[in-house]
Amino acid sequence: MYGTEGDVGRALEAFLAEGGAKREDVFVASKAWDCLKAGNVTAGVEASLRALRVDYLDLYLLHAPFLLDDGRGLSDRQIAAKVMAAWGELEALVDAGKVRAIGVSNFRTADLEVLCGGARIPPAVNQVEGHPQLPQPRLRAYCAGRGTDRPETLTLALALRTPFPDPNPNPNPDPDPGPNPNPNPTPNPNPNP
């Protein structure tokens, strides 16, 4: 996804060949970018395995609950169906031993409700942006209540652009509206309202 897997694979292969560690001592993760077209998750995992020069991934993430350019004109329900199809591919990859744990990235509470409502294997991780200006307490509580790890990321560019503490803090820093009261929730195609 970020164009680094080939370099990481060569370095990892050399490190393991030198006896620096055993494969099982190194946690290798990757992420699907264009994950909501049929077959792309499986193809993405296979490409990552080749580039990283490993037999299995410890963690593989679906990047986002929306389709980027391909999502234009689709309803939330259609997008949710594509997320569930992609998740089914991930579950099959776990069953095949190609991936040990599966997760998501940038899913909000409502998106996770849809996914968890139909998933055989729940997401182990929801990687999201998180920092003092974006604590997302509702999402944190939802993930904690379901045993989903929630590693937080903060890009260097954002850190440099936004000094801490913010002299004009947002009175509502949590963009996640919390659990969806709709009995048939569907993900929002734009997680950045």
Side-chain angles (χ1 to χ4, degrees):
M1 176 173 169
Y2 299 107
T4 60
E5 288 185 341
D7 292 334
V8 170
R10 284 185 293 280
L12 179 60
E13 184 178 58
F15 178 69
L16 295 176
E18 292 170 3
K22 297 178 196 168
R23 167 60 183 96
E24 58 269 16
D25 296 329
V26 180
F27 192 88
V28 181
S30 191
K31 188 186 294 188
W33 177 256
D34 189 14
C35 60
L36 299 182
K37 289 181 185 171
N40 277 10
V41 171
T42 302
V45 166
E46 293 293 344
S48 291
L49 290 171
R50 282 189 305 276
L52 292 164
R53 302 173 185 207
V54 295
D55 295 327
Y56 66 91
L57 295 171
D58 295 286
L59 174 66
Y60 198 73
L61 304 176
L62 293 183
H63 181 63
F66 53 90
L67 295 171
L68 305 170
D69 292 339
D70 293 331
R72 292 191 180 106
L74 294 181
S75 71
D76 287 353
R77 193 165 308 281
Q78 289 170 312
I79 292 171
K82 289 182 178 285
V83 167
M84 293 310 301
W87 194 257
E89 284 186 61
L90 279 179
E91 291 174 329
L93 289 161
V94 169
D95 294 341
K98 294 188 179 211
V99 179
R100 295 212 169 154
I102 53 179
V104 295
S105 176
N106 301 313
F107 274 52
R108 300 171 314 142
T109 303
D111 305 322
L112 288 169
E113 288 174 332
V114 171
L115 178 61
C116 292
R120 180 173 52 89
I121 301 172
V125 170
N126 182 21
Q127 179 190 43
V128 296
E129 179 183 354
H131 46 79
Q133 291 178 319
L134 188 63
Q136 302 190 70
R138 288 186 201 100
L139 182 58
R140 177 177 288 134
Y142 184 88
C143 290
R146 282 149 189 81
T148 300
D149 193 15
R150 190 177 157 267
E152 297 180 347
T153 61
L154 171 63
T155 64
L156 182 58
L158 179 62
L160 294 174
R161 185 177 72 228
T162 309
F164 295 102
D166 187 348
N168 299 307
N170 180 348
N172 183 13
D174 190 356
D176 186 346
N180 190 338
N182 180 349
N184 297 309
T186 56
N188 183 335
N190 181 4
N192 299 318

